[in-house]
Amino acid sequence: MPVVDISASAEEFDADPYAFYERMRAAGPVHRIILTADEVEPSWMIVGHEEARRALNHPALSKDWRTAGNFPEAQLSAVNSNMLESDPPHHTRLRRLVSREFTARRMEGMRARVQEIADGLLDAMAARPERGGDLIDALAFPLPMTVICELLGVPDLDRARFRYWSNEIVSPTSAESNSLANREMGTYLVQLIRDKSKEPGEDLLSALIRTSDEDGDSLSSDEVIGMAFLLLVAGHETTVNLISNGVRALLAHPEQLAALRGDLDGLIDGAVEEMLRYDGPVQHTTYRYAREPLDVGGTVIPAGATVFVSLAGADRDPTRFADPGVFDIGRAPQGHLAFGHGLHFCLGAPLARMEGRIAIRSLLERFPDLAEDPEAGPPAWLPGSLMHGVSRLPLRW
């Protein structure tokens, strides 16, 4: 099977990964790929929707790199003690304990506060004499960042420093900067958990420290650090790109923007789901490892192989979605994979959806003349294959 070398066309892929997925799907649902120039051995990527859905919950695909044997020299740190890097029964235990506190009721209880934060940010935007600026700096970053920090109980976190760490973790500019960001964030979280253990509050992080189930089981200090890492990074980075990608899609499709403005009550929920399907923030899953040979769509992935599932590729599969390259906020829901599927389905999906709906609705209500900045220049695409979006979104309002 030929190898698809995405690293050789990195800038083109960053700008339009969907053209790559379309060509790959046309040739089959699974491919050997090279994502980064420093890869020694090609990995595998699944791009078909049905195949992706099965793979996301397949017991033969492990998330625990510590037992896969692929990284014998890798050093385990506390931030790795999270649900995303574990398999059952360890994953089952972690998710059960975290789910006791990360409840739909707690998330729903934040609705008024999310609206309040959004309104404050929109007030600041409206007060700008230049009537324009970078929407990511003004709204898409500070809204989910403030929400997740307040939820976890870390309101004094240096936002600029955290933004650098988070960007380097999910869209690294180099292997060295990625490693440094992981280490620095890990050091910060170790101290944060120590402080929270001494002086707990009513926040989610304090609740995770003290939570236990009927058998008395509780999270270890490393597991709390791992969960804090996962919630802080995943809890804001995906929502930043949900908001910014969603606004970009609306501005690029004025008829859809007009329809949404004409019926915000009836269309906002479906609009956010279509934003997630059409140009979701996460392009593909993190690593999975084949425990045994695995037949995917007639192609056998060998035991020991590294496997990625392309959520974005699957959500543009024409066998699942009619006219998948068309942005249609009235599209009937058909089960997109933007939040994953199965065991590792995103725990924070309800919060991300709430923030996306509030941010985009409030933005459109406040600024009826929202438009792209004609002097903005070409988009500044995020580097890397994991996330898709822009680092800046200059607009006028």
Side-chain angles (χ1 to χ4, degrees):
M1 174 182 289
V3 175
V4 179
D5 188 354
I6 287 174
S7 69
S9 307
E11 290 186 7
E12 183 184 350
F13 181 85
D14 293 343
D16 183 16
Y18 299 102
F20 285 77
Y21 301 141
E22 184 175 1
R23 291 194 294 269
M24 292 165 70
R25 274 195 315 269
V30 58
H31 295 269
R32 297 179 73 206
I33 59 160
I34 295 177
L35 289 177
T36 60
D38 59 352
E39 285 183 31
V40 176
E41 185 73 21
S43 50
W44 297 74
M45 180 172 280
I46 299 169
V47 293
H49 189 280
E50 202 52 46
E51 295 81 4
R53 195 176 189 86
R54 287 199 297 269
L56 288 169
N57 209 28
H58 202 295
L61 287 173
S62 169
K63 290 290 293 175
D64 192 343
W65 55 269
R66 289 154 291 202
T67 62
N70 297 47
F71 302 96
E73 306 300 323
Q75 297 295 312
L76 178 66
S77 68
V79 298
N80 301 119
S81 300
N82 62 69
M83 296 185 300
L84 192 59
E85 300 177 63
S86 63
D87 297 323
H90 185 50
H91 172 272
T92 310
R93 171 183 164 269
L94 288 176
R95 184 137 186 154
R96 183 181 69 248
L97 287 167
V98 174
S99 297
R100 293 176 67 87
E101 301 299 337
F102 204 86
T103 61
R105 182 178 180 182
R106 186 189 283 268
M107 298 305 104
E108 186 59 30
M110 296 189 66
R111 182 178 295 277
R113 178 56 182 151
V114 173
Q115 185 68 64
E116 182 181 14
I117 295 167
D119 288 343
L121 294 168
L122 293 168
D123 288 344
M125 289 169 63
R128 292 188 182 191
E130 67 272 28
R131 301 294 290 177
D134 178 9
L135 187 73
I136 293 178
D137 276 343
L139 178 67
F141 170 74
L143 174 64
M145 185 67 215
T146 303
V147 169
I148 199 64
C149 282
E150 290 190 2
L151 177 64
L152 291 175
V154 286
D156 58 343
L157 175 56
D158 183 328
R159 304 294 166 87
R161 183 171 58 152
F162 179 78
R163 188 175 185 184
Y164 168 76
W165 289 340
S166 184
N167 285 345
E168 285 296 337
I169 288 167
V170 301
S171 298
T173 54
S174 70
E176 293 75 17
S177 60
N178 174 266
S179 179
L180 179 62
N182 273 280
R183 287 199 306 272
E184 289 183 346
M185 190 169 180
T187 300
Y188 169 81
L189 290 174
V190 167
Q191 187 58 52
L192 175 66
I193 301 307
R194 286 175 183 162
D195 294 343
K196 285 284 178 187
S197 297
K198 294 175 183 175
E199 296 184 30
E202 296 305 312
D203 53 85
L204 177 60
L205 204 49
S206 297
L208 290 175
I209 291 170
R210 62 176 176 258
T211 192
S212 61
D213 64 13
E214 292 77 7
D215 298 326
D217 186 21
S218 61
L219 297 170
S220 70
S221 57
D222 277 3
E223 288 167 346
V224 175
I225 292 167
M227 285 310 307
F229 173 82
L230 184 60
L231 293 171
L232 273 169
V233 174
H236 99 278
E237 191 73 39
T238 52
T239 311
V240 172
N241 291 303
L242 163 58
I243 295 169
S244 58
N245 288 358
V247 171
R248 284 194 305 109
L250 287 172
L251 293 176
H253 299 83
E255 76 290 347
Q256 296 295 304
L257 175 57
L260 181 57
R261 286 189 183 281
D263 186 11
L264 277 166
D265 286 338
L267 291 175
I268 187 61
D269 289 2
V272 168
E273 296 309 305
E274 178 67 348
M275 292 166 191
L276 288 162
R277 183 206 67 83
Y278 177 77
D279 192 9
V282 181
Q283 289 288 293
H284 60 72
T285 62
T286 52
Y287 300 93
R288 278 170 166 76
Y289 309 99
R291 301 179 194 268
E292 59 193 49
L294 189 66
D295 187 320
V296 179
T299 297
V300 176
I301 297 176
T306 299
V307 181
F308 297 96
V309 180
S310 174
L311 308 176
D315 281 342
R316 295 272 190 114
D317 188 338
T319 66
R320 176 74 178 193
F321 303 97
D323 299 318
V326 173
F327 179 66
D328 177 9
I329 63 171
R331 187 184 294 273
Q334 291 173 285
H336 64 71
L337 299 178
F339 290 119
H341 173 68
L343 287 175
H344 292 280
F345 182 81
C346 178
L347 191 66
L351 180 59
R353 284 183 162 113
M354 179 204 300
E355 291 178 278
R357 291 165 184 165
I358 287 174
I360 290 170
R361 176 176 187 144
S362 301
L363 180 69
L364 297 183
E365 287 176 334
R366 181 70 69 94
F367 302 120
D369 56 349
L370 190 72
E372 294 178 335
D373 185 342
E375 302 176 4
W381 299 105
L382 294 174
S385 64
L386 180 61
M387 309 291 287
H388 185 240
V390 291
S391 58
R392 296 177 60 254
L393 184 54
L395 300 180
R396 296 292 181 190
W397 52 77

